[in-house]
Amino acid sequence: QQQVRQSPQSLTVWEGETAILNCSYENSAFDYFPWYQQFPGEGPALLISILSVSNKKEDGRFTIFFNKREKKLSLHIADSQPGDSATYFCAASGPGGNNKLTFGQGTVLSVIP
Amino acid sequence: EAAVTQSPRSKVAVTGGKVTLSCHQTNNHDYMYWYRQDTGHGLRLIHYSYVADSTEKGDIPDGYKASRPSQENFSLILELASLSQTAVYFCASTGEIQGTEVFFGKGTRLTVV
């Protein structure tokens, strides 16, 4: 059972456009949602995160929009750059300790110059 | 800077052989994790540990064992490697507080032939 789902699987945008990556989850107990960025041959690295008490989180060109009622969130990458080309993972964790992350299957983003 | 070091970075193993993947962190973190990454599946949790000399099963523990001899070190053991265990394996660590950033190593590419 896939508790965290991402769409699309792959996305191609032109340089300067806004890329929108979507994520949904099933477990209502999830309350922490980090997005990880992964380049080929590297491990995932934290990009930006949000807690379920918030509906928006911004960090430079990166913004998370969160809808708790619909169990959906999205990552917006404004003014996309070729260097943003990577795989993006939505993840989730809940209270109760252990800090275990449940990952989506990822979205491969390609930014064309 | 937080550091998680995995060794080896790549390995070819024979079906039925024993494989040990090692992980060392210098973050003074209590929690350590082993994930496996397959195309189309994101990262899936195999085993984790929140204290030395204790390990817990994750979502896909079958065919794997784990060992946490010290706070800094966490190993993943494949007693009888199988073709289906060909994947990229990531070790990660994080602190005790929920929502703390999870730091990943660069991964070990394991090929079972």
Side-chain angles (χ1 to χ4, degrees):
Chain A
Q1 182 183 10
Q2 187 74 33
Q3 292 203 53
V4 177
R5 290 188 172 88
Q6 292 184 244
S7 64
Q9 284 190 321
S10 63
L11 176 66
T12 300
V13 299
W14 294 99
E15 183 176 355
E17 291 186 332
T18 296
I20 300 175
L21 289 66
N22 300 303
C23 179
S24 63
Y25 63 98
E26 297 180 1
N27 189 342
S28 299
F30 287 152
D31 60 0
Y32 171 65
F33 302 89
W35 284 84
Y36 279 80
Q37 181 187 55
Q38 184 181 30
F39 295 105
E42 298 289 325
L46 180 65
L47 182 65
I48 186 172
S49 64
I50 192 168
L51 293 171
S52 61
V53 294
S54 301
N55 54 29
K56 183 180 178 181
K57 177 81 173 287
E58 287 182 88
D59 185 357
R61 297 186 294 110
F62 303 94
T63 302
I64 299 174
F65 292 93
F66 180 72
N67 185 321
K68 187 173 183 178
R69 182 179 62 84
E70 295 187 4
K71 297 182 188 174
K72 292 181 178 179
L73 59 158
S74 60
L75 174 67
H76 291 225
I77 304 175
D79 187 27
S80 296
Q81 301 296 309
D84 295 331
S85 297
T87 300
Y88 292 81
F89 291 100
C90 172
S93 70
N98 300 326
N99 291 334
K100 295 185 297 179
L101 291 174
T102 299
F103 284 84
Q105 67 271 51
T107 293
V108 179
L109 174 66
S110 299
V111 181
I112 302 173
Chain B
E1 183 175 323
V4 178
T5 304
Q6 295 183 231
S7 61
R9 291 296 314 278
S10 67
K11 183 174 181 64
V12 178
V14 177
T15 301
K18 182 177 181 178
V19 177
T20 300
L21 306 182
S22 300
C23 179
H24 178 80
Q25 55 107 350
T26 58
N27 308 322
N28 198 33
H29 285 160
D30 289 323
Y31 290 90
M32 296 188 74
Y33 312 85
W34 277 105
Y35 287 89
R36 103 173 239 172
Q37 183 173 33
D38 301 275
T39 303
H41 286 280
L43 285 83
R44 293 180 290 175
L45 182 64
I46 307 171
H47 284 287
Y48 66 99
S49 169
Y50 53 87
V51 67
D53 294 322
S54 178
T55 64
E56 307 291 333
K57 293 181 179 179
D59 299 322
I60 54 165
D62 293 346
Y64 303 94
K65 291 183 180 180
S67 174
R68 182 94 180 269
S70 64
Q71 185 194 41
E72 299 81 13
N73 296 293
F74 192 35
S75 298
L76 185 68
I77 303 153
L78 290 66
E79 294 279 3
L80 295 170
S82 66
L83 295 175
S84 64
Q85 294 177 312
T86 293
V88 180
Y89 292 84
F90 288 98
C91 177
S93 76
T94 191
E96 183 177 353
I97 299 173
Q98 200 250 349
T100 305
E101 180 175 353
V102 178
F103 293 91
F104 286 82
K106 292 182 179 297
T108 295
R109 182 173 296 277
L110 175 65
T111 303
V112 183
V113 298

